[in-house]
């Protein structure tokens, strides 16, 4: 049995790498026993038993209490001199490109919107930069759509996977007045108030500064958020350059490590 030194959080249903264990919710032949992230989840590892933790584009899919739990459990299982490396969408950049009206930045290939946009007509949503950007801060799908991450997708007249169904004018108001965290919080609240039988895609967001504070509040010390440095020095991590152009990165350790 191979020794487990490294832990992937939400590595995807097809993640495989020697020496790594993947906590993932989506079932696959590589992940027959899915792990459910929740506000009371417990990682299946002992205290201080993991030398390296990596999470890429996972935390933004979880609600805030679950994110706090994931960070708490990461702190518990991480070895004293271990490192946690986290990649997230660069929400500061997303918000600025939205404000700049940079249509090309929000192209459907870069953000994986190909299966989503065709459903927008079912809710009267016009495909434009404002709704594409809003989806990055908060998006959801309904029961009729299926399951986006399990490749169980339907596209009938009731299916929907997209941003909150709000007037464009409201989105522009939020764009010009909110931080990334405030924006996702407002949009998530709007979804919960107006929708039923839903599953969130993205539902949390942070500025770079806010996420550093979040890590610190969980007991970590941020070592660096320099993307180029992290990519170079942690190149052995599987797929660390995946979605690199739209990501922000953090490396942290235990404050008492």
């Amino acid at each position: 049995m191979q020794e487990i030194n490294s832990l992937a959080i939400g590595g995807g249903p097809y993640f495989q790498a020697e020496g790594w264990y993947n906590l993932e919710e989506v079932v696959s032949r590589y992940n027959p026993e899915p792990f459910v992230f929740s506000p009371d989840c417990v990682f299946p590892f002992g205290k201080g038993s993991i030398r390296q933790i990596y999470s890429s584009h996972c935390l933004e899919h979880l609600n805030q209490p679950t994110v706090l739990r994931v960070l708490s459990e990461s702190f518990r299982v991480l070895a004293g001199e271990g490192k946690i490396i986290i990649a997230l969408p660069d929400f500061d950049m997303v918000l600025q490109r939205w404000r700049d009206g940079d249509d090309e930045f929000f192209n459907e290939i870069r953000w994986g919107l190909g299966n989503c946009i065709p459903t927008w007509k079912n809710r009267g949503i016009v495909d434009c930069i404002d709704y594409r950007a809003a989806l990055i801060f908060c998006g959801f799908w309904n029961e009729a759509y299926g399951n986006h991450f399990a490749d169980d997708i339907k596209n009938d007249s009731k299916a929907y996977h997209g941003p909150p169904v709000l007037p464009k004018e409201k989105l522009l108001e939020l764009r010009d007045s909110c931080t990334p965290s405030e924006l996702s919080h407002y949009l998530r609240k709007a979804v919960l108030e107006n929708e039923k039988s839903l599953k969130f895609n993205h539902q949390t967001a942070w500025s770079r500064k806010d996420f550093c504070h979040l890590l610190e509040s969980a007991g970590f010390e941020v070592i660096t958020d320099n993307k180029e440095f992290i990519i170079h020095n942690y190149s052995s991590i599987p797929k660390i350059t995946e979605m690199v152009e739209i990501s922000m990165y953090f490396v942290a350790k235990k404050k008492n490590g």
Side-chain angles (χ1 to χ4, degrees):
M1 184 175 180
Q2 67 174 350
E3 183 181 3
I4 301 299
N5 294 315
S6 301
L7 171 63
I9 296 174
Y14 305 109
F15 182 97
Q16 278 189 307
E18 185 176 355
W20 285 79
Y21 189 96
N22 181 32
L23 294 178
E24 170 59 47
E25 291 195 359
V26 179
V27 179
S28 75
R29 63 192 179 98
Y30 302 112
N31 188 48
E33 298 180 4
F35 182 87
V36 177
F37 296 103
S38 69
D40 59 357
C41 66
V42 177
F43 291 0
F45 300 100
K47 181 178 179 181
S49 60
I50 300 296
R51 298 179 186 176
Q52 180 174 236
I53 297 174
Y54 180 55
S55 178
S56 177
H57 289 253
C58 170
L59 298 185
E60 69 273 14
H61 297 279
L62 309 176
N63 61 34
Q64 189 72 3
T66 302
V67 171
L68 295 175
R69 182 65 176 188
V70 167
L71 292 178
S72 173
E73 279 295 281
S74 295
F75 185 91
R76 179 183 67 81
V77 304
L78 190 65
E81 293 300 323
K83 304 295 188 298
I84 182 170
I85 304 96
I86 297 176
L88 298 164
D90 189 336
F91 291 110
D92 288 319
M93 180 168 62
V94 172
L95 185 54
Q96 188 58 53
R97 295 293 183 90
W98 185 9
R99 289 170 175 168
D100 293 342
D102 186 349
D103 288 284
E104 196 282 328
F105 179 76
F106 296 95
N107 75 68
E108 62 186 70
I109 294 175
R110 175 176 288 128
W111 292 100
L113 303 177
N115 290 319
C116 307
I117 292 173
T119 71
W120 293 7
K121 64 182 183 300
N122 297 336
R123 301 295 294 273
I125 298 296
V126 176
D127 179 18
C128 65
I129 185 175
D130 304 300
Y131 287 108
R132 290 190 180 198
L135 174 59
I136 296 167
F137 288 98
C138 180
F140 73 98
W141 65 79
N142 60 13
E143 187 176 357
Y145 177 82
N147 187 332
H148 187 73
F149 295 112
D151 296 324
D152 176 24
I153 299 171
K154 306 172 183 67
N155 189 14
D156 61 28
S157 62
K158 295 182 180 179
Y160 182 76
H161 181 183
V165 182
L166 292 170
K168 181 177 176 179
E169 292 73 21
K170 184 61 182 180
L171 295 182
L172 296 179
E173 176 188 328
L174 295 170
R175 178 198 67 182
D176 295 336
S177 63
C178 289
T179 66
S181 295
E182 292 167 343
L183 221 168
S184 66
H185 177 77
Y186 183 97
L187 295 176
R188 184 179 187 277
K189 183 179 178 181
V191 171
L192 292 174
E193 288 176 348
N194 296 290
E195 305 291 341
K196 296 180 180 179
S197 68
L198 66 96
K199 177 73 173 179
F200 278 107
N201 192 333
H202 289 189
Q203 57 176 314
T204 49
W206 304 268
S207 66
R208 186 179 302 271
K209 181 178 179 181
D210 284 346
F211 195 75
C212 284
H213 287 164
L214 183 65
L215 286 170
E216 290 166 0
S217 71
F220 294 101
E221 175 187 344
V222 177
I223 298 172
T224 183
D225 63 356
N226 184 296
K227 181 191 295 190
E228 289 74 21
F229 176 89
I230 295 169
I231 292 298
H232 176 75
N233 286 275
Y234 293 88
S235 59
S236 63
I237 293 178
K239 299 182 179 180
I240 194 169
T241 59
E242 197 168 61
M243 297 183 284
V244 63
E245 65 175 329
I246 58 172
S247 300
M248 56 182 178
Y249 292 78
F250 304 84
V251 176
K253 65 178 182 179
K254 289 184 172 183
K255 286 180 182 177
N256 61 348

